[in-house]
Amino acid sequence: MADKRQRRLAEFIEPFRVRPGSKVTLSKDFDPSFKAEVKKKKKGVALLQQGVELLCEYQARLAAQDTYGVLVVLQALDAAGKDGTIRHVMSGVNPQGVAVHSFKVPSAEELNHDFLWRYAQRLPARGEIGIFNRSHYEEVLVVRVHPENLDRQKLPKASKKGDIWKRRYREINDWERYLTDNGFRIVKLFLNLSKEEQRIRFLRRLDLPDHNWKLSAADVRERDRWDDYQKAFSEMLSHTSTEWAPWYVIPADRKWFGRIGAGAVLAHTLMEIDPQFPTVTNEQHRALLEVKQALEAQAPKGAKPDPFQAELVAEAAEEESRKPPARRREPAGAPA
Ligand code: AMP
Ligand code: MG
């Protein structure tokens, strides 16, 4: 069952995956309005609900196992739906196991360190899912499109020599490899929005007073640099999609589809990790039984020694009685 679900998910996300080593031209290779075989939003919403339940189950196991951590990296242009994706995809997950970090213009303290420093500080622990809303990839995106950001990073002259972007790609790949080798899986999602859909979403933010705060003059100025960003995204995808941490380009012109796509990639990664609840050894089990007996002996007069077990037995009996007669388990020793 789990295998079948995993295979279906793998097939579903395959068109989004950037093959390591391939050269990407975003506008040519990925369609922002793609919606696979999911023709109707209603079906999409049901699929997302299933995905949310799956994530909840796997996140609980990830936390209990406490061995692997997962880092979700979300990159996109303004209004592509990063916030909504986080809100919907993680809606069923225990908040104790998830931490979201948004990265803005770096502070003076952050600029006083190497470029990966502030991201390294916010990595998830084992058992956790960490989400980067914008990420270390801004260091080869906004910093590249607006080189004055690089000037503020106080790099020595020698560090600015040569192709600094190629070097940063390599440094990011190495860092991600180090994290993966040490038990931290990285899920990289690029929400791919078309220019026309961004125009419509900006207008919506202008037309709805409660949404005005989401749009700034800076966002509109960034839109003027659309082509530069598409080029920076394309190069980033070409150079940093690796075997250990591939990029997924998620079609984002339909918000509901973007959420399904993002949820599917995350669910697939968790299924690959396949975290398990810890089991106890025979010896630990025997010790637990002794504790159980001691607790039962402490039951006050008239109370059931273990009311919870009584409930479990009643539930199991009820379940059995709901099955059609042919599939009922006959009590041991009953005549055939
Ligand atoms: P928002 O995500 O809309 O709240 O905006 C955050 C802003 O911070 C965006 O305009 C980003 O371009 C900017 N930003 C994020 N990371 C960096 C960075 N490393 N260097 C410069 N600007 C950044
Ligand atoms: Mg913004």
Side-chain angles (χ1 to χ4, degrees), residues 34 38 48 50 91 106-107 136 163 182 225 231 240 242 279:
F34 178 76
V38 194
L48 181 63
Q50 283 172 23
S91 61
S107 68
H136 46 297
D163 190 335
N182 284 282
R225 305 294 300 272
K231 190 163 173 276
T240 60
T242 54
T279 50

Side-chain angles (χ1 to χ4, degrees), residues 274-318:
D274 195 23
Q276 304 292 328
F277 287 115
T279 50
V280 294
T281 62
N282 286 342
E283 199 179 322
Q284 286 168 323
H285 187 67
R286 268 195 299 278
L288 288 176
L289 277 180
E290 276 173 32
V291 174
K292 179 173 158 69
Q293 281 164 3
L295 286 172
E296 285 176 351
Q298 291 168 24
K301 215 165 156 205
K304 287 180 185 143
D306 184 347
F308 183 69
Q309 180 155 43
E311 253 175 56
L312 282 181
V313 171
E315 268 172 30
E318 201 190 308

Side-chain angles (χ1 to χ4, degrees), residues 19 98-99 126 190 239 244 263 293 298 324:
R19 205 165 27 81
V98 184
R126 298 192 193 281
F190 172 69
H239 287 95
W244 53 91
Q293 281 164 3
Q298 291 168 24

Side-chain angles (χ1 to χ4, degrees), residues 77-79 82-83 104 134 202 205 213-216 218-219 222:
L77 279 173
D78 283 307
K82 296 193 294 296
D83 299 295
K104 316 259 173 197
R134 300 185 189 272
F202 276 3
R205 289 180 175 187
W213 65 274
K214 283 195 189 175
L215 189 73
S216 67
D219 293 345
E222 290 305 90

Side-chain angles (χ1 to χ4, degrees), residues 12-13 15-17 30-36 80 85 190-194 201 248-262 265:
F12 180 67
I13 66 176
F16 313 148
R17 186 168 177 274
F30 292 95
D31 173 10
S33 63
F34 178 76
K35 52 176 179 164
T85 298
F190 172 69
L191 302 183
N192 190 24
L193 185 72
S194 69
R201 290 189 193 174
Y248 290 86
V249 178
I250 310 291
D253 270 8
R254 291 180 180 80
K255 285 184 181 170
W256 59 269
F257 189 81
R259 290 163 191 167
I260 301 171
V265 178

